[in-house]
């Protein structure tokens, strides 16, 4: 053997194995087909019926030779877990999404809500965006890791759970309480952020690192009943109306956290001079008022918010009732002291005839935000730079709630993401003619793949 041959042989032995790269075009098309199949399974919650979708996933995993487990939390309420083993040198990553979807108004749709049509570059149907798009992308990444036999230092866990849309006792709560050992992880990727598409270009990738917490409240006004022909000073309808008006126009104090402070600072760097002036001068009350007028979501991110949503009172047009009530949708900052906040509400209302009553329900727990200086957050930033180099990554605090709250309360660093969407696509969330772009879904698969392989790959 010549000296050159020996050198080449030694180099080949010493060189690390280069992992086979996925065919992302094929992955995109398979993800779209799987999404279509999942949309066709009606998992509207109520009642849920997630077990049928979980069984569909179980059959797919069986065909692929992947061991998985079904967990029925109640009649028709199904959850499924699968795991790809790493070498155990680092703690697992959890890829999660929920199986249930919100109900539809079929007569308001121009397509079959559960038709799963792939047409015009979109997958159409309820849940295509929220949250079966995330489910299909996670599934494709999970299947590809298995097929390519990529060496892993972390276990990668796949979870599809029931009940996220208002009944977490059938899903994430059940899995944490009964099967925590199967989903315990260091990091989790879940729904919650945004990949903003404008003029056919991704402007930014927002990654949810925390979220506001729903805190239900009612206002109950008490008075005296009587004949409607004789107005009363203690008419509970009048007192309730005044209280609702005061709270509806009240701006609780602004309070930034690490996520929102970084969000607005980075957003200012890609905004118009007019908007950048707002985002860099948030302490100015006039700026806060301007933001409320211009962007109600950003305004809600700045503070604990109150939205009156329902009114109830009276039995007949000529009868003054003895009681009337209003329902408030309160979205609290993660560290809000609700006892003190209720006292502030009472001061704003300033009426002893109006009582503030907490509404119990499936409240998500308060939890610390996920970090901005972790290997997973940096991997998501790197994935953004690789796919959309002209964009920017923003940590964000969604004003809505997800199952990430329960995981963060268990110490999991949980990050929320969504497929690329335009404003038009996003407006269809929980609305009519819901859809997700096939091309965007394919890019989302690449985005998750890049982050997961950076963190879990050897």
């Amino acid at each position: 053997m010549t000296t050159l041959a020996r050198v080449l042989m030694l180099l080949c032995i010493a060189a690390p194995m280069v992992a086979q790269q996925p065919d992302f075009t094929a992955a995109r098309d398979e993800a779209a087909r799987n999404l279509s199949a999942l949309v066709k399974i009606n998992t509207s919650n109520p009642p849920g019926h997630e077990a049928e979708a979980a069984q569909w996933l179980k059959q797919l995993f069986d065909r692929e030779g992947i061991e998985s487990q079904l967990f029925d939390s109640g009649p028709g309420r199904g959850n499924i877990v699968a795991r790809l083993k790493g070498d155990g040198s680092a703690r697992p990553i959890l890829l999660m999404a929920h199986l249930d979807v919100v109900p539809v108004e079929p007569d308001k749709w121009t397509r079959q809500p559960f038709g799963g049509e792939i047409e015009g570059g979109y997958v159409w149907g309820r849940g295509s965006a929220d949250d079966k798009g995330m489910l299909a992308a996670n599934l494709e990444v999970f299947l590809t890791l298995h097929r390519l036999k990529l060496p892993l230092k972390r276990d990668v866990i796949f979870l599809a759970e029931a009940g996220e849309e208002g009944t977490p006792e059938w899903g994430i709560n059940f899995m944490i309480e009964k099967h925590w050992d199967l989903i315990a992880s260091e990091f989790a990727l879940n729904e919650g952020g945004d990949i903003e598409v404008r003029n056919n270009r991704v402007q930014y990738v927002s990654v949810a690192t925390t979220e506001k917490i729903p805190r239900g409240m009612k206002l109950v006004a008490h008075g005296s009943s009587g004949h409607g022909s004789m107005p009363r000073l203690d008419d509970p309808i009048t007192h309730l109306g005044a209280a609702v008006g005061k709270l509806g126009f009240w701006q609780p104090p602004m309070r930034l956290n690490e996520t929102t402070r970084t969000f607005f600072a980075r957003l200012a760097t890609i905004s118009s001079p007019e908007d950048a002036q707002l985002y860099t001068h948030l302490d100015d009350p006039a700026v806060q008022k301007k933001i409320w007028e211009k962007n109600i979501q950003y305004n809600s991110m700045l503070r604990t918010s109150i939205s009156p949503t329902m009114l109830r009172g009276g039995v007949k047009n000529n009868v003054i009732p003895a009681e009337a009530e209003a329902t408030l949708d309160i979205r609290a900052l993660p560290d809000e002291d609700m006892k003190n906040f209720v006292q502030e509400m009472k001061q704003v209302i300033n009426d002893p005839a109006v009582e503030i009553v907490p509404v119990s329900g499936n409240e998500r727990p308060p939890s610390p935000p996920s970090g901005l200086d972790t290997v997973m957050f940096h991997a998501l930033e790197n994935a953004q730079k690789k796919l959309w180099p002209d964009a920017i990554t923003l940590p964000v605090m969604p004003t809505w709630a997800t199952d990430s709250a329960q995981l963060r309360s268990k110490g999991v660093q949980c990050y929320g993401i969504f497929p690329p969407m335009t404003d038009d696509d996003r407006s269809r969330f929980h609305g009519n003619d819901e859809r997700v772009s096939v091309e965007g879904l394919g890019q989302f698969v690449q985005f998750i793949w890049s982050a997961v392989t950076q963190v879990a790959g050897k």
Side-chain angles (χ1 to χ4, degrees):
M1 183 182 292
T2 66
T3 302
L4 178 59
R6 289 193 186 95
V7 170
L8 290 174
M9 183 181 71
L10 290 171
L11 286 174
C12 289
I13 294 172
M17 294 278 295
V18 177
Q20 182 182 349
Q21 286 299 302
D23 179 345
F24 285 117
T25 299
R28 176 200 64 197
D29 295 343
E30 183 179 42
R33 291 193 300 272
N34 286 336
L35 175 56
S36 172
L38 287 162
V39 167
K40 291 175 182 177
I41 304 172
N42 184 346
T43 54
S44 298
N45 185 11
H49 291 312
E50 299 95 340
E52 184 179 350
Q55 184 61 48
W56 184 91
L57 289 165
K58 179 72 166 63
Q59 292 170 356
L60 174 58
F61 286 141
D62 287 347
R63 291 195 301 270
E64 294 282 338
I66 299 173
E67 184 178 345
S68 61
Q69 294 176 270
L70 292 172
F71 299 96
D72 293 335
S73 53
R77 312 308 297 265
N79 304 271
I80 184 169
V81 176
R83 180 185 294 253
L84 301 177
K85 296 291 291 182
D87 65 14
S89 61
R91 293 167 57 201
I93 294 175
L94 178 67
L95 303 180
M96 63 180 291
H98 60 87
L99 293 163
D100 61 324
V101 300
V102 295
V104 300
E105 300 173 288
D107 58 316
K108 301 293 194 299
W109 285 63
T110 63
R111 299 171 182 271
Q112 290 296 321
F114 301 101
E117 299 172 51
I118 303 177
E119 185 177 323
Y122 291 92
V123 180
W124 300 83
R126 174 59 85 222
S128 56
D130 183 15
D131 184 33
K132 291 178 178 177
M134 178 88 187
L135 177 62
N138 284 347
L139 176 62
E140 190 62 31
V141 170
F142 193 79
L143 292 175
T144 304
L145 287 170
H146 167 72
R147 291 165 181 168
L148 297 184
K149 307 301 180 187
L150 188 76
L152 301 171
K153 63 185 176 185
R154 301 173 185 267
D155 290 3
V156 177
I157 306 168
F158 176 94
L159 169 66
E161 84 274 17
E164 192 276 342
E165 299 289 1
T167 55
E169 68 272 20
W170 303 115
I172 194 64
N173 292 1
F174 171 80
M175 294 303 298
I176 288 175
E177 291 167 9
K178 304 294 185 181
H179 304 287
W180 173 242
D181 59 316
L182 298 180
I183 62 172
S185 49
E186 181 175 5
F187 301 112
L189 295 181
N190 188 25
E191 63 175 350
D194 184 25
I195 299 177
E196 175 77 10
V197 178
R198 296 181 187 172
N199 300 319
N200 297 315
R201 185 179 69 85
V202 170
Q203 183 182 35
Y204 62 77
V205 173
S206 65
V207 177
T209 57
T210 185
E211 58 195 45
K212 299 183 80 175
I213 304 171
R215 291 287 181 255
M217 296 279 178
K218 288 195 304 184
L219 301 181
V220 181
H222 305 278
S224 302
S225 59
H227 201 289
S229 66
M230 295 175 285
R232 305 183 61 89
L233 289 174
D234 63 348
D235 183 334
I237 298 288
T238 303
H239 285 261
L240 180 68
V244 167
K246 289 176 181 177
L247 289 181
F249 288 104
W250 176 47
Q251 282 275 67
M254 182 191 81
R255 194 168 73 254
L256 297 174
N257 53 39
E258 181 188 28
T259 294
T260 51
R261 187 176 295 108
T262 305
F263 173 85
F264 284 107
R266 292 189 182 184
L267 183 62
T269 66
I270 59 171
S271 299
S272 67
E274 178 186 0
D275 287 345
Q277 174 70 13
L278 298 178
Y279 306 148
T280 55
H281 293 79
L282 294 173
D283 289 330
D284 185 342
V287 166
Q288 294 179 38
K289 185 174 185 298
K290 183 80 171 178
I291 289 175
W292 193 7
E293 295 168 351
K294 189 171 184 177
N295 193 311
I296 56 175
Q297 181 181 358
Y298 290 175
N299 178 67
S300 183
M301 288 169 60
L302 294 174
R303 54 182 45 83
T304 292
S305 61
I306 304 174
S307 291
T309 54
M310 292 191 292
L311 297 170
R312 186 180 69 82
V315 294
K316 202 168 186 287
N317 70 316
N318 62 352
V319 176
I320 296 172
E323 191 173 281
E325 69 178 45
T327 299
L328 306 176
D329 185 355
I330 297 180
R331 301 295 171 125
L333 293 174
D335 61 347
E336 187 69 73
D337 184 327
M338 289 307 298
K339 185 176 180 180
N340 289 341
F341 189 76
V342 169
Q343 291 302 314
E344 292 183 67
M345 291 171 62
K346 289 180 178 179
Q347 293 175 13
V348 171
I349 294 171
N350 192 28
D351 186 347
V354 178
E355 180 185 9
I356 301 175
V357 181
V359 178
S360 60
N362 292 311
E363 295 184 344
R364 288 177 164 87
S367 55
S370 301
L372 305 186
D373 189 20
T374 67
V375 293
M376 178 55 81
F377 188 82
H378 292 317
L380 292 167
E381 289 181 304
N382 290 339
Q384 168 261 298
K385 292 172 185 174
K386 184 184 299 183
L387 269 73
W388 307 290
D390 296 331
I392 190 173
T393 298
L394 308 174
V396 69
M397 180 181 69
T399 57
W400 55 87
T402 74
D403 286 344
S404 293
Q406 288 92 320
L407 289 171
R408 290 192 184 104
S409 71
K410 294 287 289 184
V412 180
Q413 297 288 298
C414 201
Y415 299 97
I417 50 180
F418 262 130
M421 293 186 196
T422 64
D423 286 342
D424 185 22
D425 299 331
R426 201 173 299 103
S427 70
R428 300 165 189 256
F429 266 54
H430 289 208
N432 304 321
D433 290 337
E434 186 178 348
R435 69 185 189 183
V436 70
S437 159
V438 172
E439 188 61 33
L441 182 64
Q443 292 175 346
F444 195 47
V445 169
Q446 292 187 58
F447 179 67
I448 297 174
W449 171 268
S450 178
V452 169
T453 53
Q454 179 179 331
V455 176
K458 288 187 178 181

